[in-house]
Amino acid sequence: MKEIVVISGKGGTGKTSITASFAMLGGSDVVVADCDVDAADMHLLMQPDFNFAEDFYSGEVAYVDQSNCISCGKCRDVCRFDGISAKNNRYVVDPISCEGCGYCARVCPTKTIINKKRLAGKWFISKIKTGSIMVHARLGIGADNSGKLVAKVKNEAKEIALEEHKGFILVDGSPGIGCPVVSSLSGANFVVLVTEPSVSGLHDLKRVYELVKKFNIKAGCIINKADVNPAKCAEIVAFLTENDIVHLTDLPYDENFTRAMVLGQTMVEYDHGKLKELLAESWEKVKRLGSGTY
Amino acid sequence: MTDLKPLKIAIASGKGGTGKTTLSTNLAAFIAEQHEVVLVDLDVEEPNSGLFFKGELTHEEDIFKMIPQWDASKCTLCGICPKLCSYHAVIQLGPSILVFPELCHSCYACSELCPVDALPMIPKKTGTLRDFRIDKLNFVESRLEIGEEQAVQLISKTKKYVAATYGNVSIAIFDSPPGTSCPVMEATRDADFVILVTEPTPFGLHDLSLAVETMRTLKKPFGVVVNRYGIGNDEVIHYCREENIPLLAKIPNSRKIAELYSSGKLMYQDFPEVRQSLSDILDYCIKAVKGAKV
Ligand code: SF4
Ligand code: SF4
Ligand code: SF4
Ligand code: SF4
């Protein structure tokens, strides 16, 4: 079982559309993991049945049980996050500000503060239209540390892939360079970087590649909307060569990306011309590179 | 000069790549034609607005967060501190106490509850703030150290710097990080008005609905700007109407705009209809926030 992760540094590069096309091409041999939990969109193209759903708890939030509170104010004084305020001598926690550090509960003389588990989101296992399975999630509003939810989604996908003897896990990775993308990348056999030829595209590509290098994972790159800025595109290609990143393909600026999305379809279902051909070729390369047989 | 606080407008989106940076940079430049304005890039993991401005660097400072430092000479190895930290940022390893700065939320619990003061808090660099000036436009960006996981503190300290330095500027624009998690909440929580940027596509609609939920949780007044209007369908427009959300502007889809963006250029000068939209957006924000005077 091989693990392929698609990331882009920043959103809007077409990462999810490309990942969904790969999932379609891979069919029943590919378990999909949508690790872009902060803005999970893959399900809009995959017709998931939400067969299994479970709440996900991470971290804590303080709660003042009023019955034993003697209004001493100690909890408010120690909190560094303005998490506790007093109205008419009634001490209450603002769950949005509370970081769940637990300090207030430790100093409360009457032990009347409890730390409750924080509901951080929901995760799902679904049958999808590719004939395979997708693990996906939804992060709760204002939740901290989506990295843990990302890790959960990935591990579940991995277990399913092993149990059902699937060839690949395909991960739609998280944006940014923080903890969630680190969780997305750990254990990957191959990384597909999706970028676009713009000043910010190149800038984000370089930053996210720093991270990929640390993990020592082989990487390939797809330049989307390549024809929008040929000069920038050439700069990106130079960067790829310099860093020994496989240049998988260039995709043209094509509004079919959006037209397919509006119909809830992947590119390879909607388009039967050049775009489909380029994506299919790329997927074949990715599979071989991911299996180390290039 | 006025003694009013600046009008604080935050620009956010459910996910990256929807045109959030395009809108904040163009809006700031447009306002700067007449008024003093400060644009603040709070997308500290991937600050990109700076790619659009070549200003003069007027100020640069390291931003610190407080972390505990172990004092071996005082420590009695009582073993309390690892139990005090909810983030596993302090652990005991044989006869030493280890601190993991990236995981520390600066809650002070370990430091203040250590019976022998063996964990004094010391500053640790978490990012760099830079302040630039181009005529009437002031531009502040903060960049998180690679590997640092706590964006929230850097965001909050950057806002403090802006409040202290630009209290007399009439308008402040905050480019927020994408998503719905803690950093977005921190970036938008004290804004007077929030502009949500989206695209007229199924992904755009889905991400917008999450962002709307976040703003409703924070009880913020907000409006929507649709970017790349014309590319997908009208579902986003219908959604706004049904939900009673003000639609502030529609920025047309155009390959030319994509090209200008890709070269790091502002675009409103070349598109009279975009200039008009920016002016409408600004008027709306000023009217929506009672007492704001520009
Ligand atoms: S748990 Fe920490 S952040 Fe939350 S209210 Fe208590 S002291 Fe404040
Ligand atoms: S520390 Fe405990 S008793 Fe004192 S105000 Fe807080 S909740 Fe009430
Ligand atoms: S709480 Fe203080 S004395 Fe006890 S192990 Fe930690 S540092 Fe040492
Ligand atoms: S200050 Fe708080 S978060 Fe930081 S190490 Fe100490 S207990 Fe943990």
Side-chain angles (χ1 to χ4, degrees), chain B residues 11 19-32 37 39 41 48-53 137 139 173 175 261 264-268 278:
Chain B
I11 302 188
K20 188 169 56 65
T21 301
T22 310
L23 181 64
S24 37
T25 50
N26 280 278
L27 185 60
F30 169 76
I31 297 170
V37 60
L39 170 65
D41 195 341
N48 267 347
S49 308
L51 300 170
F52 292 82
F53 298 111
L137 178 81
F139 169 62
I173 296 175
D175 189 352
Y261 175 82
K265 292 200 182 88
L266 296 173
M267 50 98 171
Y268 76 94
L278 294 175

Side-chain angles (χ1 to χ4, degrees), chain B residues 70 74-82 92 97 110 114-116 118-119:
Chain B
W70 184 53
K74 285 190 183 160
C75 176
T76 60
L77 289 173
C78 73
I80 291 180
C81 51
Q92 182 170 355
I97 297 295
C110 61
C114 166
V116 293
L119 288 169

Side-chain angles (χ1 to χ4, degrees), chain A residues 62 75 78-81 83-84 93 97-105 115:
Chain A
C75 52
V78 299
C79 179
R80 289 298 194 293
F81 308 100
I84 298 182
V93 176
S97 299
C98 172
E99 293 231 3
C101 69
Y103 195 174
C104 54
N115 297 311

Side-chain angles (χ1 to χ4, degrees), chain A residues 9-12 16 38-41 43-45 80-81 96-97 99-103 106-107 138-139 141-144 176-179 197-200 203-204 207 214 227-229 232 253 255 258 261-262, chain B residues 14-17 43 45-48 51 83-84 86-87 105-109 112-113 143 146 149 179-182 185 189 201-203 206-207 210 213-214 217 231-233 253 255 258-259 261-264:
Chain A
K10 204 153 202 163
T16 299
D38 219 4
D41 284 331
H43 63 281
L44 298 168
L45 303 179
R80 289 298 194 293
F81 308 100
I96 293 177
S97 299
E99 293 231 3
C101 69
Y103 195 174
R106 296 186 205 286
V107 298
R138 194 193 151 161
L139 192 69
I141 302 292
D144 184 19
I177 52 160
C179 175
S198 66
V199 275
S200 50
H203 173 255
D204 294 339
R207 261 169 85 83
K214 275 196 200 146
D227 50 339
V228 164
N229 190 331
K232 267 284 164 263
Y253 176 90
E255 293 183 0
T258 313
M261 192 198 291
V262 166
Chain B
K15 78 144 104 194
D43 193 354
E45 255 193 50
E46 314 254 354
N48 267 347
L51 300 170
K83 295 194 198 102
L84 292 171
S86 300
Y87 312 105
H105 287 229
S106 311
C107 77
Y108 284 70
E112 293 175 355
L113 296 178
R143 189 175 290 272
I146 297 231
E149 289 176 9
T180 57
S181 57
C182 279
M185 306 281 259
R189 63 193 283 170
T201 65
F203 286 7
H206 178 252
D207 300 332
L210 297 178
E213 227 183 287
T214 312
T217 307
I231 195 168
N233 55 20
N253 179 49
R255 188 179 158 124
E259 284 172 5
Y261 175 82
S262 77
S263 323

Side-chain angles (χ1 to χ4, degrees), chain A residues 132-154:
Chain A
S132 186
I133 289 167
M134 171 160 96
V135 184
H136 48 130
R138 194 193 151 161
L139 192 69
I141 302 292
D144 184 19
N145 207 345
S146 54
K148 289 198 180 127
L149 185 52
V150 168
K152 175 85 189 162
V153 166
K154 246 186 89 156

